[in-house]
Amino acid sequence: MKGLLLSVGSLAVALSLTVGLSSALAANHAANAGVKVSLGSSGLGRVLVDGRGRTLYLFEKDKHGKSACIGKCAAFWPPLIASGKPLATAGAKTSLLGTTRRADGRLQVTYNHHPLYTFVKDTRKGQTSGEELDVFGGEWYAVSAAGARV
C-alpha cells in the first residue's frame, strides 16, 4: 500500500510538471506566432520595430529573400523569428510582411523580401546602433515603412 501511495504521489508530481511545461511552451509558441512589426520613432526617423520597440534591420548580403547571417553573425544580429504569420501594426504594411525558412529550419520574418534582424547593442526603443555597420560581409540598415533601407 505504501508503494502504491508513493507511485500515485510521483504520478501527480509528474503530471503537474508536464502540465506546467506544456503551458509554458504554449505561451512561448503563442508569443512567437503573433510576432508584431510596426513603425517606431528613432534618430533616423520612422523605422520598422519589433513588438518590443527595437529597431529592425536588413542585411545587404542577404539575397533572394534568404538569410546570409548564421552562426556568430546571428548572435550579434538575432533574426526576428516567428512560428506563424507575423502581424503588421501601427504603420507597417501587411502586404510586405512574410517569412523565409532559415538553414536551421526556423521561420524568419521578412519585409519586402528582406529578412529582418534586431541588433544586440540596441537595448532601448529608438536606438539604431547597428545603422550602416559593415560587418559579417555586408552592411546593415534600419528598414523604412516602404521596406527599403532608411
Side-chain angles (χ1 to χ4, degrees):
M1 184 74 166
K2 192 174 184 182
L4 181 58
L5 289 175
L6 182 58
S7 295
V8 170
S10 297
L11 179 61
V13 170
L15 284 173
S16 175
L17 289 173
T18 301
V19 169
L21 180 59
S22 296
S23 297
L25 290 173
N28 186 41
H29 178 75
N32 284 339
V35 169
K36 294 179 183 174
V37 174
S38 61
L39 282 180
S41 297
S42 76
L44 301 171
R46 305 280 286 160
V47 297
L48 287 184
V49 297
D50 68 5
R52 294 179 9 201
R54 294 173 302 166
T55 300
L56 293 169
Y57 295 89
L58 63 82
F59 184 34
E60 284 200 329
K61 189 175 178 183
D62 291 344
K63 299 291 181 216
H64 309 292
K66 296 292 182 187
S67 175
C69 181
I70 57 173
K72 190 180 260 189
C73 175
F76 285 95
W77 298 89
L80 185 61
I81 300 296
S83 56
K85 187 174 180 173
L87 306 170
T89 63
K93 298 175 183 170
T94 301
S95 62
L96 296 180
L97 269 178
T99 58
T100 187
R101 182 99 27 212
R102 291 181 57 77
D104 63 10
R106 297 182 299 162
L107 286 178
Q108 183 171 0
V109 178
T110 62
Y111 196 80
N112 195 24
H113 307 288
H114 296 289
L116 298 176
Y117 307 85
T118 57
F119 182 51
V120 295
K121 291 191 177 184
D122 288 347
T123 57
R124 294 186 318 270
K125 291 179 180 182
Q127 286 185 306
T128 56
S129 305
E131 179 67 10
E132 294 186 337
L133 291 183
D134 189 349
V135 291
F136 297 106
E139 290 187 344
W140 296 85
Y141 296 98
V143 184
S144 72
R149 71 184 216 188
V150 173

